[in-house]
Amino acid sequence: MIKCANFLAGEEDKIPEDGGAMGEMGGAPAQAISDEGDKIPDYALVAADLKAIMDDPEWDDGSLAPVLIRLAWHSSGTYDAQGKTGGSNNCGLGGATMRFGAEKADPENAGLDLAQAKLEGVKQKHGAGLSYADLWILAAYVAIEHTGGPKMEFKPGRVDAADGSKCPHGDGAHNPNKSRLPPADLGPSKDAPKGCPMHHKEQPTIDAVRATFERMGLQDREVVALLCGGHVYGRCHRERTGYAGPWVEEMTIFSNEYAADMVGDKWVEVTHESPDCPHDEVRPAPGKRQYVSIGPGEEEEGGGDGSGSERDGPPKQMMLISDMALLWDPKWRLWLPDYA
């Protein structure tokens, strides 16, 4: 089982008084009554209703859990620890800002309007006292627990922004989409000599991802924990982002598969035109590149435990350049065995 559960929950001893990174990502101070005097919902009943919709045979891989976790993370990942803006409650300015303007149109958030629509029935049932900002975070907590992850204490109290005037978005310094979220791929360094180490070749993406997470106040180990816990879920959709396929084979289960496969499998770069791409399911759109697994490393092949020679061909798994950065960057790779 992956070991980033406490980070995802927001460790109590890491939540500063002023609502820093962990406070924004893990919970906001509880409030008794909303500004409008709306009745505070019974969050146990909200959680039960969320659990009831979690398994959806008409959705990707039969579960809403991955997309709801992504919704909560992208809502939280706009946090700026120094500027005190962004995050799931937008530092008191009003959360759930992804419903508006530039954040709604952010390509990094492609498809999350569908996740929001899936939650609308629960929102309407429990009334105005349930904020979208709280609902999105609680949905992710329920999703993690429902898929075998840890039970985490939910802290309500986030309020919704009334409009998009306070939407947090970036300046393009680290993501050309002017998103505050990390970029998937900024291309190889133009100055990298042929045959240089991968962390030099892919330095533009690595530097941008590190700077993005540093803005949130996260250290290297926390970055590895977050990605290992988040990308064990779900898949990329070629029609939305240009990238294609799941990160892991069991993409609706909380596990250590992401980190274990990153370390243990052989990975090759492919483009849309690559003749050796093992499956069309993991073939990116034209103009995009990603890494795909061609199976376990030699030390893991041929076992009788459901891996290696027992597979019917290479697994249908992919990694973004920003994922592979965890393997290439010496500071991030140091922490990967803790989650593998």
Side-chain angles (χ1 to χ4, degrees):
M1 189 62 68
I2 204 163
K3 302 174 184 176
C4 63
N6 287 339
F7 168 67
L8 291 174
E11 293 177 326
E12 289 296 327
D13 62 349
K14 288 189 177 181
I15 300 177
E17 293 291 334
D18 61 358
M22 296 297 172
E24 278 297 322
M25 293 185 180
Q31 297 175 351
I33 300 290
S34 71
D35 292 341
E36 295 80 12
D38 296 309
K39 182 180 178 181
I40 295 300
D42 183 329
Y43 289 100
L45 294 180
V46 178
D49 287 339
L50 289 167
K51 184 176 180 180
I53 67 170
M54 203 60 63
D55 296 325
D56 186 342
E58 297 183 357
W59 191 257
D60 283 352
D61 309 302
S63 175
L64 291 176
V67 74
L68 295 179
I69 293 168
R70 178 171 171 246
L71 175 63
W73 149 234
H74 281 217
S75 171
S76 302
T78 59
Y79 180 63
D80 184 331
Q82 185 173 2
K84 302 300 181 188
T85 59
S88 63
N89 197 37
N90 204 9
C91 293
L93 298 175
T97 50
M98 201 188 301
R99 296 171 296 150
F100 307 113
E103 196 174 349
K104 182 178 181 179
D106 185 348
E108 306 294 347
N109 292 330
L112 290 180
D113 56 329
L114 303 176
Q116 295 173 48
K118 287 288 185 179
L119 295 176
E120 191 60 29
V122 177
K123 175 67 170 74
Q124 295 305 316
K125 177 179 178 179
H126 292 276
L130 174 63
S131 69
Y132 285 104
D134 269 346
L135 177 61
W136 295 358
I137 300 301
L138 179 57
Y141 280 26
V142 173
I144 291 170
E145 182 180 358
H146 184 67
T147 54
K151 182 176 178 61
M152 296 177 286
E153 179 187 359
F154 174 68
K155 296 182 178 181
R158 300 165 187 81
V159 297
D160 291 335
D163 54 45
S165 61
K166 302 295 184 182
C167 272
H169 46 88
D171 57 8
H174 305 303
N175 189 320
N177 294 323
K178 293 189 176 180
S179 173
R180 286 196 181 187
L181 298 167
D185 180 13
L186 295 183
S189 173
K190 296 178 181 179
D191 300 325
K194 185 176 180 179
C196 70
M198 290 302 294
H199 65 282
H200 291 316
K201 177 183 176 183
E202 302 295 346
Q203 189 170 357
T205 301
I206 291 173
D207 287 350
V209 171
R210 175 167 276 115
T212 300
F213 283 115
E214 286 178 348
R215 189 207 68 230
M216 300 179 206
L218 301 184
Q219 303 299 314
D220 283 338
R221 183 172 189 173
E222 294 167 330
V223 173
V224 175
L226 179 62
L227 290 176
C228 288
H231 284 180
V232 77
Y233 288 105
R235 62 173 62 238
C236 290
H237 299 78
R238 188 184 298 110
E239 68 275 14
R240 297 177 193 167
T241 65
Y243 304 105
W247 288 271
V248 299
E249 292 182 279
E250 300 291 339
M251 69 291 290
T252 62
I253 298 174
F254 184 86
S255 75
N256 66 343
E257 188 183 351
Y258 172 91
D261 288 353
M262 180 178 287
V263 172
D265 281 15
K266 297 177 182 178
W267 298 89
V268 296
E269 182 181 320
V270 298
T271 65
H272 181 76
E273 295 78 17
S274 295
D276 55 348
C277 184
H279 302 282
D280 281 341
E281 186 177 339
V282 292
R283 186 182 299 277
K288 299 289 186 179
R289 61 181 182 141
Q290 62 188 48
Y291 274 72
V292 299
S293 173
I294 56 172
E298 293 180 1
E299 68 278 7
E300 297 186 9
E301 290 178 350
D305 58 354
S307 62
S309 62
E310 292 190 352
R311 273 198 182 105
D312 184 17
K316 299 176 182 179
Q317 294 174 252
M318 56 77 69
M319 294 281 176
L320 303 171
I321 302 300
S322 53
D323 292 303
M324 295 300 293
L326 300 185
L327 190 66
W328 298 330
D329 182 81
K331 293 180 180 178
W332 283 331
R333 176 159 185 148
L334 177 68
W335 298 111
L336 267 179
D338 283 9
Y339 306 103

